[in-house]
Amino acid sequence: MIPTTEWLEQLADAAIDQGLAEVTYAHVDTPIGRLLVAESDRGVCRVAFPEEGVDEVLQEIAQHLGPRVVRSDRATGRIRSLIEGYLLSTTKIIDYPVDLRLMRSPFRRGVLKELTKVTRGAVVTYGQLAARAGRPGAARATGTACALNPVPIVVPCHRVVPSAGGVGSYGGGPERKRLLLELEGALTP
Amino acid sequence: MNHSARVVSGTTSLPPFWRLVELHGDEILTYARRLVRDDAEDVAQEAFLRALRSYPRVTSGDHLRAWLFRIVTTAAFDHSHKRSRHGRMPAGETQTVVDDPFELERFNDLIGGLSVSAQAALRLRFIDDLGYDDIGKRLGCTSVAARQRVSTAVRALRKRLT
């Protein structure tokens, strides 16, 4: 007796209404691929590219934020439509609370918090971002923080570029980074 | 008292709960259907909600399937009890050896005070009429262990009745 979509949704709704879900997640189809989006009661806590593997991503969430992980299109509706709209260029900014608990090092969390101040259309170098986060000279460590960003796109690690030029590396691959920067007008196609 | 006997959590991590729904939702619904027929979806949902409620207190990721089967078994009992207290019989005929709802009710009353695992073993053996291989699969143990569980449960029941 295969569970119907309706039954699964009712189960998820009941779990959420009873306050039993620590994290909810769902997928969203975008021009840069099918993304997994997860959120806790504090905000969006994970955005994952398809290459990352759903099982691994969810296991990591369960381990660090709690095992009560529930799939729900409804509960993640707002953040998913913001991300989708952003990537379709119908939404200019993603104004949504962020939960950075999956980033456990305080320095790296500081880097990402600083990064949220870099606005659409702008870019910053790794060295500049390191300085803003209070550690001038820690460009490499800043690069690591960006590479481990649990919420790409929402926390714009794609706006961090090498001082030597070029787009540099990206967790979702340099091609996606280029597309995001073009979309934001920081780079001409 | 004896802290060394406690399982220290963090060594085995639990899978994300929805993984269990995806892996076992299908067989839990099928099993619930055999227990309560038309109310299977409600009972299975209630079972998963109960499981979710106690999930953070589960100390090991092993035997989660058997754990779910125990929960749905209890949820089905509670559901039938509630129904009969309201003067209604379970919907339709149950697909069990004990076809008569009255007999089923008496059986449930009889085993009601036993541990959940004893109840499950007795129910699988005498209501569902399963062999020990199948009981073992359902409870997540070997058929030898299943036979032992049933006989332990029968002994416990006998002791209560004398």
Side-chain angles (χ1 to χ4, degrees):
Chain A
M1 197 171 160
I2 294 166
T4 60
T5 311
E6 201 190 3
W7 182 80
L8 290 167
E9 277 172 7
Q10 278 176 7
L11 173 59
D13 285 350
I16 293 159
D17 292 345
Q18 294 179 29
L20 298 175
E22 274 148 341
V23 174
T24 53
Y25 76 96
H27 288 89
V28 57
D29 289 306
T30 77
I32 60 167
R34 187 172 162 79
L35 307 175
L36 182 147
V37 178
E39 73 172 288
S40 70
D41 56 352
R42 303 183 192 190
V44 54
C45 59
R46 190 75 165 89
V47 173
F49 293 106
E51 296 79 16
E52 294 186 74
V54 177
D55 286 349
E56 288 79 2
V57 170
L58 295 179
Q59 187 67 52
E60 187 203 2
I61 291 172
Q63 197 174 337
H64 298 294
L65 303 184
R68 299 199 274 192
V69 179
V70 169
R71 187 192 162 103
S72 169
D73 282 340
R74 189 186 62 129
T76 55
R78 206 172 134 240
I79 181 61
R80 286 188 306 117
S81 75
L82 278 172
I83 291 174
E84 187 188 21
Y86 191 80
L87 297 171
L88 289 169
S89 283
T90 54
T91 308
K92 289 295 174 200
I93 54 164
I94 302 174
D95 184 16
Y96 204 80
V98 174
D99 177 356
L100 286 177
R101 277 179 298 162
L102 284 174
M103 188 63 117
R104 286 183 307 288
S105 134
F107 168 70
R108 290 174 187 163
R109 255 200 319 272
V111 168
L112 296 186
K113 275 187 191 139
E114 208 48 54
L115 185 48
T116 56
K117 298 176 193 160
V118 180
T119 53
R120 182 191 176 100
V123 291
V124 64
T125 66
Y126 290 103
Q128 286 166 342
L129 185 60
R132 289 184 199 177
R135 288 260 300 270
R140 188 176 289 268
T142 300
T144 306
C146 293
L148 297 174
N149 177 14
V151 277
I153 302 163
V154 181
V155 171
C157 56
H158 58 276
R159 293 179 195 152
V160 193
V161 294
S163 53
V167 297
S169 58
Y170 188 57
E175 197 45 46
R176 282 204 185 93
K177 188 170 187 175
R178 192 183 307 278
L179 283 168
L180 285 164
L181 290 173
E182 283 173 10
L183 177 90
E184 297 178 347
L187 206 70
T188 40
Chain B
M1 214 171 66
N2 181 4
H3 285 281
S4 62
R6 274 235 206 97
V7 178
V8 181
S9 64
T11 44
T12 47
S13 63
L14 295 172
F17 188 80
W18 210 251
R19 182 102 185 96
L20 300 182
V21 176
E22 286 172 349
L23 278 175
H24 306 299
D26 164 341
E27 53 182 347
I28 289 290
L29 273 163
T30 305
Y31 179 58
R33 191 172 194 173
R34 295 209 300 118
L35 300 179
V36 293
R37 295 304 288 272
D38 294 343
D39 298 326
E41 294 201 326
D42 288 346
V43 166
Q45 187 192 94
E46 171 59 22
F48 274 111
L49 290 172
R50 286 184 190 184
L52 187 56
R53 214 165 282 135
S54 56
Y55 197 44
R57 292 190 298 276
V58 173
T59 49
S60 154
D62 303 331
H63 312 301
L64 290 172
R65 182 172 173 271
W67 173 71
L68 284 174
F69 272 102
R70 284 200 298 277
I71 293 172
V72 71
T73 305
T74 318
F77 282 143
D78 294 348
H79 181 80
S80 325
H81 279 206
K82 203 160 78 191
R83 290 206 79 132
S84 51
R85 267 207 307 279
H86 287 91
R88 283 185 297 172
M89 289 302 176
E93 283 173 35
T94 46
Q95 282 178 332
T96 57
V97 177
V98 184
D99 271 333
D100 180 350
F102 179 71
E103 285 296 317
L104 187 62
E105 177 77 0
R106 278 194 47 197
F107 184 83
N108 287 340
D109 285 345
L110 213 58
I111 68 173
L114 299 177
S115 72
V116 176
S117 71
Q119 289 190 27
L122 289 172
R123 178 169 250 291
L124 292 168
R125 178 67 194 92
F126 300 109
I127 301 287
D128 295 340
D129 199 30
L130 295 182
Y132 292 109
D133 282 351
D134 289 329
I135 296 175
K137 274 182 206 140
R138 196 81 87 196
L139 297 176
C141 62
T142 64
S143 64
V144 176
R147 187 186 291 273
Q148 280 168 355
R149 285 197 204 184
V150 171
S151 72
T152 306
V154 169
R155 270 203 305 278
L157 186 58
R158 199 170 276 149
K159 211 169 155 193
R160 278 191 46 197
L161 296 177
T162 51

